[in-house]
């Protein structure tokens, strides 16, 4: 994680692999199926600096590692993560859906 006054930025890169284990009744140890695709996932999150951190912005994408356009996907992922990292640094406050609720009061 990287911290600055605007919040904490976290970037994760995960490699997924299909195994012989079932979802409902997992067994240990699970064997990885070598012949299957192994997508690589990238996730970026930006949290504010509050006592209970809130997500300012996020991005995640899982794509196959063997894809022909892997370079283009990687460049897009990097650009998206840079945008997430910049969340909260601008002069304008960031408003997210559901951040505020309004109701009409009854006449006095």
């Amino acid at each position: 994680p990287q911290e600055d006054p605007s919040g904490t930025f976290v970037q994760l890169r995960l490699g997924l692999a299909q195994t012989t284990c079932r979802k409902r009744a997992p067994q240990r140890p699970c064997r990885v199926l070598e012949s299957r695709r192994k997508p690589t996932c990238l996730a970026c999150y930006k949290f504010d600096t509050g006592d209970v951190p809130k997500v300012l912005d996020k991005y995640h994408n899982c794509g196959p590692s063997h894809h022909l356009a892997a370079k283009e996907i990687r460049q897009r992922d990097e650009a998206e993560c840079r945008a997430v990292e910049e969340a909260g640094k601008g002069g304008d406050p960031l408003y997210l859906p559901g951040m505020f609720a309004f109701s009409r009061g009854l006449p006095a």
Side-chain angles (χ1 to χ4, degrees):
Q2 297 174 355
E3 294 191 38
D4 63 49
S6 67
T8 301
F9 172 72
V10 178
Q11 180 174 321
L12 304 169
R13 191 174 299 277
L14 308 167
L16 303 182
Q18 187 175 354
T19 67
T20 55
C21 289
R22 296 184 200 145
K23 288 183 182 179
R24 299 198 184 268
Q27 51 193 345
R28 299 287 182 250
C30 297
R31 192 170 52 83
V32 174
L33 296 173
E34 293 298 329
S35 62
R36 303 293 182 192
R37 294 179 181 171
K38 296 179 181 176
T40 300
C41 300
L42 178 68
C44 301
Y45 296 91
K46 180 72 176 272
F47 299 93
D48 70 5
T49 56
D51 291 338
V52 179
K54 294 178 184 170
V55 176
L56 294 175
D57 199 3
K58 64 182 176 181
Y59 170 78
H60 44 82
N61 181 44
C62 291
S65 57
H66 69 281
H67 196 280
L68 295 175
K71 183 178 179 182
E72 288 81 2
I73 292 171
R74 188 168 52 250
Q75 289 173 343
R76 185 195 64 201
D77 284 349
E78 289 171 2
E80 293 284 353
C81 278
R82 277 194 302 275
V84 169
E85 187 175 3
E86 295 301 313
K89 289 184 179 180
D92 297 330
L94 179 68
Y95 295 105
L96 299 173
M99 186 180 286
F100 299 103
F102 300 94
S103 62
R104 199 167 89 187
L106 297 174

